[in-house]
């Protein structure tokens, strides 16, 4: 199946597809920057592939791969010079669309004792995200539903998300902790992107089959300078599609093929929760790296005079002991209850709130757990205990 078969029928057809080399990718970044956008993409820092603003394609992690396992992450060198052959690092696009800490309002006490409260509204950023994996594309769509599509909207998220330009990169080399296919996704990009790239590495160096998924994406393609791209051809599209299809069969992990919502709902008293609680540090790493976890809390700070105060919203985690505190103490006082809350919400009660699962199978929670707790292993153990 060719890459073009994954396209949504409503995609524009101003140009079927183009093929970019390294120079073409640099031209794409330049066009996006010229549009006034902050281009954010993967780059190497401190022994990991992280997401950061890019000045050009040279900032991408050319020739960098990664080795993953539960509780393990290492970078490797590749001989093919590919820029997107690594798997997801510790960050997701949530760090930019739903930042870890953001101001909500300022309050000032005037000389006459009156109080003035001013809602804080940041300048609307104009982002272009380069290198959005299909699992993260799905995660953005889930956060859109939670933070911008519900009754209680996060206006800050909506401002940052509105107009963000998404350049997806389809996966041709899944990692050892990836399980997106078993969560209903896959290495091919679903609709929702502006541009989609498929990386093909050969003797001439990496090349990128690039297609538009929105009118804005088609406009950006049309602005690429002559000489920085080649027109797409059926052979390249077929090769790209075959590479993505092959990745679908090479997932490192998988969830059991069961109704996970029903399984978790029927496993509240399972003995497996004691087993995982004995290993869990309640550190919250899994919620911090998860591209869909959205929980926050608020805090107030004042200056020394007491005449000025600010409210800030920051990420919180259901693994935090104080997260469920009510009068008299926390509702979930043990690691057993907190891990159970996280997993049953992520795979079960998300359906009740948002009509979908809350997991996209990116595997970050497995990779970045300090003690290597594997969500797919835990669910498999729960299924075995339940006789399923």
């Amino acid at each position: 199946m060719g890459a073009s078969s994954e396209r949504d029928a409503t995609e524009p057809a101003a140009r079927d597809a183009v093929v970019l080399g390294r120079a073409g990718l640099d031209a794409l970044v330049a066009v996006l920057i010229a549009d006034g956008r902050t281009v954010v993409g993967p780059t190497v820092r401190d022994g990991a592939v992280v997401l950061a603003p890019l000045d050009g394609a040279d900032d991408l992690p050319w020739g960098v791969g990664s080795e993953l396992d539960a509780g393990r992450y290492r970078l490797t060198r590749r001989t093919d010079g590919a820029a997107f052959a690594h798997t997801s690092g510790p960050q997701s696009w949530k760090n930019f669309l739903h930042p870890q800490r953001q101001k909500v309002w300022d309050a000032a006490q005037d000389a006459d004792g009156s109080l003035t409260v001013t809602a804080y509204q940041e300048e609307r950023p104009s982002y272009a995200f380069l290198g959005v994996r299909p699992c993260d594309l799905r995660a953005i769509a889930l956060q859109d539903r939670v933070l911008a599509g519900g009754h209680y909207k996060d206006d800050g998220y909506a401002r940052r998300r509105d107009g963000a330009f998404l350049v997806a990169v389809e996966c041709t080399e899944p990692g050892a902790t990836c399980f997106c296919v078993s969560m209903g996704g896959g290495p091919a990009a679903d609709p929702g992107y502006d541009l989609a790239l498929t990386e093909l590495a050969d003797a001439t160096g990496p090349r990128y089959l690039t297609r538009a998924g929105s009118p804005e994406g088609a406009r950006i393609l049309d602005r690429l300078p002559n000489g920085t791209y080649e027109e797409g051809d059926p052979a390249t599209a077929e090769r790209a599609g075959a590479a993505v299809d092959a990745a679908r069969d090479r997932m490192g992990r998988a969830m059991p093929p069961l109704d996970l919502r029903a399984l978790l709902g029927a496993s509240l008293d399972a003995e497996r929760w004691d087993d995982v609680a004995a290993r869990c540090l309640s550190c919250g790493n899994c919620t911090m790296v998860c591209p869909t976890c959205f929980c926050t809390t608020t805090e107030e700070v004042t200056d020394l005079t007491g005449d000025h105060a600010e409210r800030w919203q920051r990420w919180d985690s259901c693994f935090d002991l104080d997260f469920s505190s009510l009068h008299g103490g926390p509702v979930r006082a043990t690691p057993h209850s907190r891990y159970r809350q996280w997993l049953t919400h992520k795979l079960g009660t998300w359906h009740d709130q948002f009509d979908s699962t809350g997991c996209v199978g990116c595997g970050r929670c497995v990779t970045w757990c300090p003690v290597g707790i594997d969500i797919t292993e835990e669910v498999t153990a729960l299924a075995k205990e339940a006789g399923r």
Side-chain angles (χ1 to χ4, degrees):
M1 179 175 61
S4 60
S5 64
E6 296 291 339
R7 291 182 63 174
D8 182 62
T10 62
E11 288 182 16
R15 175 178 287 159
D16 289 336
V18 300
V19 179
L20 306 179
R22 183 163 178 163
L25 208 55
D26 195 58
L28 173 62
V29 174
V31 168
L32 292 169
I33 291 176
D35 252 8
R37 299 181 184 274
T38 299
V39 179
V40 180
T43 192
V44 175
R45 290 183 185 172
D46 300 323
V49 174
V50 301
L51 301 175
L54 306 177
D55 293 324
D58 285 347
D59 294 336
L60 292 169
W62 299 98
V64 174
S66 55
E67 290 181 354
L68 310 179
D69 207 338
R72 176 181 169 81
Y73 176 94
R74 296 290 186 275
L75 296 184
T76 60
R77 296 302 307 176
R78 298 177 58 91
T79 59
D80 58 11
F84 299 104
H86 55 85
T87 48
S88 298
Q91 295 170 304
S92 69
W93 309 99
K94 177 177 78 171
N95 292 62
F96 297 89
L97 295 174
H98 183 48
Q100 296 180 33
R101 193 167 183 264
Q102 52 191 311
K103 187 187 287 189
V104 179
W105 50 248
D106 292 277
Q109 181 171 271
D110 301 328
D112 61 2
S114 61
L115 191 66
T116 301
V117 179
T118 305
Y120 178 76
Q121 185 167 330
E122 65 183 352
E123 182 179 349
R124 175 185 163 187
S126 181
Y127 284 125
F129 295 152
L130 173 60
V132 181
R133 300 291 184 175
C135 57
D136 281 342
L137 193 64
R138 294 182 67 216
I140 291 172
L142 289 177
Q143 289 225 315
D144 287 349
R145 187 182 308 166
V146 173
L147 298 176
H151 182 69
Y152 300 102
K153 296 183 179 180
D154 184 324
D155 292 335
Y157 176 89
R159 283 194 301 273
R160 287 183 289 272
R161 177 68 178 92
D162 185 31
F165 188 92
L166 305 183
V167 183
V169 173
E170 296 184 310
C171 293
T172 56
E173 293 193 30
T177 58
C178 296
F179 56 98
C180 64
V181 170
S182 62
M183 294 308 300
D190 291 332
Y193 57 83
D194 293 291
L195 293 175
L197 312 182
T198 308
E199 186 171 57
L200 300 170
D202 53 30
T204 62
R207 300 187 302 147
Y208 302 88
L209 179 68
T210 306
R211 63 187 193 269
S214 72
E216 180 67 5
R219 186 183 71 85
I220 292 296
L221 276 191
D222 286 339
R223 290 178 55 196
L224 292 176
N226 291 332
T228 62
Y229 63 88
E230 300 173 1
E231 295 294 341
D233 60 90
T236 301
E238 184 66 27
R239 183 183 167 201
V244 173
D245 285 347
R248 179 178 291 276
D249 299 325
R250 300 202 314 273
M251 292 289 116
R253 280 165 166 76
M255 281 287 185
L258 302 169
D259 183 340
L260 300 183
R261 180 186 185 185
L263 172 66
L264 271 295
S267 300
L268 299 182
D269 297 319
E271 294 181 0
R272 183 67 182 190
W273 301 120
D274 292 326
D275 181 273
V276 70
R279 292 172 282 135
C280 178
L281 304 178
S282 291
C283 66
N285 259 24
C286 50
T287 61
M288 298 298 105
V289 298
C290 176
T292 65
C293 278
F294 56 83
C295 289
T296 59
T297 187
T298 55
E299 58 186 10
E300 279 76 43
V301 296
T302 65
D303 62 11
L304 294 176
T305 68
D307 293 334
H308 179 80
E310 298 174 352
R311 169 170 285 186
W312 288 76
Q313 176 180 283
R314 63 171 175 82
W315 287 358
D316 204 354
S317 171
C318 53
F319 284 92
D320 189 338
L321 182 61
D322 293 332
F323 182 80
S324 64
S325 286
L326 299 175
H327 181 68
V331 174
R332 292 182 284 273
T334 65
H336 174 292
S337 60
R338 295 197 289 277
Y339 188 90
R340 184 181 65 183
Q341 157 63 22
W342 175 71
L343 190 58
T344 55
H345 183 222
K346 185 67 61 178
L347 300 179
T349 52
W350 255 75
H351 289 274
D352 301 321
Q353 291 180 283
F354 310 115
D355 298 320
S356 74
T357 180
C359 177
V360 295
C362 69
R364 287 184 178 93
C365 61
V366 182
T367 303
W368 296 96
C369 175
V371 294
I373 295 173
D374 181 342
I375 186 174
T376 64
E377 180 182 307
E378 297 310 315
V379 173
T380 300
L382 289 170
K384 183 178 180 180
E385 184 175 339
R388 300 190 183 187

